[in-house]
Amino acid sequence: MTGINDAGGSADELEIVLEYDDQRHVERPEATNGDSPVAQALRRLATRAMGLTGADIERIVREARLEARREKRRLTYADIEAGIRGHRPPVPYDVRWRYAIHESGHAVVHHALRLGSIKGLTIDTKDGGHNTLTFTTSTPDTEDWYGRLLAMLMAGRAAELIVLKTVSAGSGGAEQSDLARATRIALDMEQALGFGGRHPLLYLEHKDPAAILCRDADLAQRVHGRLEFAQARATEVILENRQAFDRLVRELFDAQALDGAAVMDILAAAS
């Protein structure tokens, strides 16, 4: 979920040249407000760079600047985007489809359940798809809110099941994976947030979710039940918004990266 938030350096260090066919348009970083061409370019770069670290981005910009200097020309938007793309191996066709389906599922459920805004989606990374989502702070953190959050986390897996009838390991396998985060939240609901099916008034701290779930079969069943319900809810939401979902999958597959404005245009047009 990492993106470019700052062009870096002073106005004299980095100028962005936008090329449209035979026309060239130069803007400096301070001219990044609203819908100016440079603001649009930076949003596109930020979306392309999701999943990269700050060190990755610094290296890409430095290499692109050196290449432009060797060719005795200005640094262009296309140079930086090419640098980002060049650091990533091509993704096979079928894998890219699965990434597009997975990330579109997250986005559609996030939007439909009014969890917040969408800043960008990409399937053009070395370790799978990424999304940048924000969460509204004006909603009370009730059990319903956490239930919607769980549905969003389970939506990538639900989307794969709807379209492909199979699931990949992309939802799990890591500490920050969808399943890992959803499991921790569901466990918190049972043990620490006052929503538990047994002894809801007790606050039971747990530093090792895996250990406690392996020891307590009843607790594991309740947590798993919450995840099953969340996946079923995500499935229902995606099916209710199937037109928007299908269009988003196609657009994301073709573009490989969409900023928040592009995603919202798709979701709004189909609603």
Side-chain angles (χ1 to χ4, degrees), residues 10-16 26-32 38 74:
S10 68
D12 291 332
E13 274 193 296
L14 179 63
E15 294 178 338
I16 297 176
V26 181
E27 291 200 48
R28 293 179 179 270
E30 63 266 25
T32 58
V38 72
R74 295 179 186 272

Side-chain angles (χ1 to χ4, degrees), residues 47-103:
T47 305
R48 284 288 185 197
M50 289 164 59
L52 295 178
T53 66
D56 291 333
I57 296 166
E58 183 179 3
R59 182 177 64 256
I60 289 167
V61 173
R62 182 171 61 250
E63 291 174 355
R65 182 186 288 117
L66 288 173
E67 180 65 22
R69 285 176 179 170
R70 280 195 294 267
E71 297 179 4
K72 298 181 179 180
R73 59 176 177 78
R74 295 179 186 272
L75 179 66
T76 69
Y77 155 85
D79 292 330
I80 299 175
E81 183 171 18
I84 293 172
R85 301 295 301 278
H87 279 70
R88 292 168 171 165
V91 178
Y93 183 92
D94 58 335
V95 176
R96 202 166 93 205
W97 265 118
R98 189 177 288 273
Y99 289 168
I101 290 165
H102 187 104
E103 296 306 329

